Amino acid sequence: MSLPHAILTALLEKPSSGLELTRRFDKSIGFFWSATHQQIYRELGRLETTGLIRALPQAAPVRGQKKEYEVLPAGRTELERWTAAAEEPRPIRDPLLLRLRAAAVVGTAGLDAELRRHLALHRAQLAQYEEIERRDFAPGEEGEGEPLQYAVLRAGIGWESFWVRWLAETVETLPAAPATPSEGPTDPA
Amino acid sequence: MSLPHAILTALLEKPSSGLELTRRFDKSIGFFWSATHQQIYRELGRLETTGLIRALPQAAPVRGQKKEYEVLPAGRTELERWTAAAEEPRPIRDPLLLRLRAAAVVGTAGLDAELRRHLALHRAQLAQYEEIERRDFAPGEEGEGEPLQYAVLRAGIGWESFWVRWLAETVETLPAAPATPSEGPTDPA
DNA sequence: AGGTACATGTAACATGTTACATGATTCC
DNA sequence: GGAATCATGTAACATGTTACATGTACCT
């Protein structure tokens, strides 16, 4: 149940139409919670039905014409509740680790190149985040007083650093592994 | 498309029934790709229909009676293809970061306790992984020659370390933030 | 009149979650 | 024969993805 709350947050920052929300999800919020315009329209409809948001009165309900939404008091209350609620941490869940596990059974052929490709991508993303950090959160700068936004950026940096470190280590040790550990086509012990 | 490949991997390691797979997903594979028994039964049905696995002949198709599956050559080929295929890295996607962002709008009340709770949970999980590392991958030990399994464990350790470090930093800096930045119930600038 | 950008939506499907239903086996 | 456990499955729903449909506004 995260998308509705992401939308409530974005609408509290500024009342918007579906397409405007989609654009904003492509930028800041989308760094850690992406959504397509189809998802957003569906969720806007539900939030309106349940009385957490409403369409601004001036917008006539004509297809193809902009329709802006704002958060109702019930929506703000719900967002406050969710922000402080107890939720279990998400366990790690990544197909790349699954592929490593599969490689232990069917062989590592081709996986090496994929790991190097991921390493390059994560290094590029890390550099991009660090550039934002230098630009917007340098010590003594203006935006320095936004601890929550900075915390989110540090999470992105920490996340990418983790992958870069792990991939670099793994690429080093992996080529020593056998390329095709088992050969029987269907009948492993 | 990860669950079918997780199942193929598990079945190549050892032909199993649905419930046996569920139990194995609660252990090793489930560390980074969990699945319920409903998901597994549904996916086993599809894999059988598409000819990637088959039920072992001795098992009569009676409800309530064990039914074991094994991987067919087409299934192994598919798993090999997927292991080496190009897939984009998963972007970070975590509700906790979303809640931080929401807190910037509706206030940080209650979030602090939740961050500390997560910190404790991640520390406990990290300790558990490090215990496994000491037990199974100590230098000069027997299981030392399993570089892929060790790489997966190191990913878990790196992941938990990232969260522990980030949460510890964030808990330090957060209390300085305002508890309720804006007060207007529905009409923020 | 046609093209492009803006804007809202439908439909179909894949994946994941939750609750429940049903049959077989074993132990008492 | 009743309870507990093993085992397979259905149903309903929530969320996320992909492809497509429709209408408006503006520019040429």
Side-chain angles (χ1 to χ4, degrees):
Chain A
M1 291 280 289
S2 293
L3 179 60
H5 300 97
I7 291 176
L8 287 173
T9 304
L11 285 182
L12 275 174
E13 285 168 359
K14 178 173 165 28
S16 308
S17 67
L19 197 59
E20 281 164 6
L21 283 176
T22 304
R23 296 228 173 86
R24 292 169 63 193
F25 270 75
D26 285 343
K27 290 183 229 156
S28 54
I29 292 184
F31 272 139
F32 49 89
W33 205 271
S34 62
T36 62
H37 81 271
Q38 292 88 342
Q39 264 183 290
I40 287 169
Y41 283 119
R42 180 167 58 185
E43 203 60 49
L44 282 171
R46 276 183 231 178
L47 287 168
E48 192 177 19
T49 308
T50 52
L52 300 189
I53 64 173
R54 67 163 182 186
L56 288 184
Q58 67 254 38
V62 181
R63 183 175 184 142
Q65 208 134 57
K66 188 148 89 169
K67 196 168 153 194
E68 290 205 304
Y69 293 93
E70 69 175 4
V71 178
L72 293 171
R76 172 179 276 261
T77 304
E78 166 56 25
L79 190 59
E80 280 164 4
R81 188 203 58 76
W82 179 75
T83 302
E87 263 191 20
E88 294 319 296
R90 288 287 167 105
I92 189 170
R93 186 176 182 84
D94 198 292
L96 194 60
L97 299 180
L98 216 46
R99 294 205 273 166
L100 234 64
R101 175 91 186 214
V105 180
V106 298
T108 57
L111 184 56
D112 194 58
E114 180 68 354
L115 291 178
R116 287 174 199 278
R117 197 175 70 87
H118 279 224
L119 178 54
L121 289 168
H122 283 295
R123 279 188 170 138
Q125 186 63 66
L126 178 58
Q128 202 178 317
Y129 286 158
E130 284 174 337
E131 172 60 28
I132 296 174
E133 185 182 27
R134 268 190 299 278
R135 206 184 54 213
D136 296 351
F137 297 97
E141 275 293 314
E142 301 180 28
E144 188 226 328
E146 305 281 3
L148 289 168
Q149 270 181 248
Y150 190 27
V152 171
L153 178 62
R154 280 192 295 100
I157 290 174
W159 160 272
E160 296 298 340
S161 298
F162 150 58
W163 278 112
V164 166
R165 202 174 312 125
W166 180 79
L167 283 164
E169 278 177 22
T170 304
V171 164
E172 285 304 309
T173 59
L174 193 64
T180 40
S182 69
E183 287 300 332
T186 334
D187 194 10
Chain B
M1 294 280 290
S2 293
L3 180 59
H5 300 97
I7 291 176
L8 287 173
T9 304
L11 285 183
L12 276 173
E13 286 168 0
K14 176 169 163 35
S16 307
S17 66
L19 197 59
E20 280 164 6
L21 283 176
T22 303
R23 297 230 172 84
R24 290 169 63 193
F25 270 73
D26 285 343
K27 289 184 230 157
S28 55
I29 292 183
F31 271 139
F32 48 93
W33 206 271
S34 61
T36 61
H37 81 271
Q38 293 87 341
Q39 266 183 288
I40 287 169
Y41 282 121
R42 179 166 61 185
E43 203 59 49
L44 282 171
R46 277 184 230 176
L47 286 167
E48 191 177 21
T49 308
T50 52
L52 299 189
I53 64 172
R54 69 164 182 184
L56 288 184
Q58 66 254 39
V62 182
R63 186 174 181 141
Q65 207 135 58
K66 189 148 88 167
K67 196 167 150 194
E68 290 205 304
Y69 293 92
E70 68 175 3
V71 178
L72 292 172
R76 172 178 278 261
T77 304
E78 167 56 24
L79 190 60
E80 281 165 2
R81 186 203 61 72
W82 179 76
T83 302
E87 262 191 18
E88 294 320 295
R90 289 286 168 105
I92 188 170
R93 185 177 184 83
D94 197 290
L96 193 59
L97 299 180
L98 217 46
R99 294 204 274 168
L100 234 63
R101 175 93 185 211
V105 181
V106 299
T108 57
L111 185 54
D112 193 59
E114 179 69 355
L115 291 178
R116 288 174 199 277
R117 199 176 67 90
H118 278 226
L119 178 54
L121 289 168
H122 282 295
R123 278 189 171 136
Q125 185 64 67
L126 177 58
Q128 201 177 321
Y129 286 158
E130 283 173 338
E131 172 60 28
I132 296 175
E133 185 182 28
R134 266 190 302 276
R135 205 185 51 216
D136 295 351
F137 297 98
E141 274 296 313
E142 302 180 25
E144 187 226 329
E146 306 281 1
L148 290 168
Q149 271 180 246
Y150 190 28
V152 171
L153 178 62
R154 279 192 297 100
I157 290 173
W159 160 271
E160 297 298 341
S161 299
F162 149 59
W163 277 112
V164 166
R165 204 174 309 124
W166 180 81
L167 283 164
E169 278 176 24
T170 304
V171 164
E172 285 304 311
T173 60
L174 194 65
T180 41
S182 71
E183 285 301 329
T186 334
D187 195 11

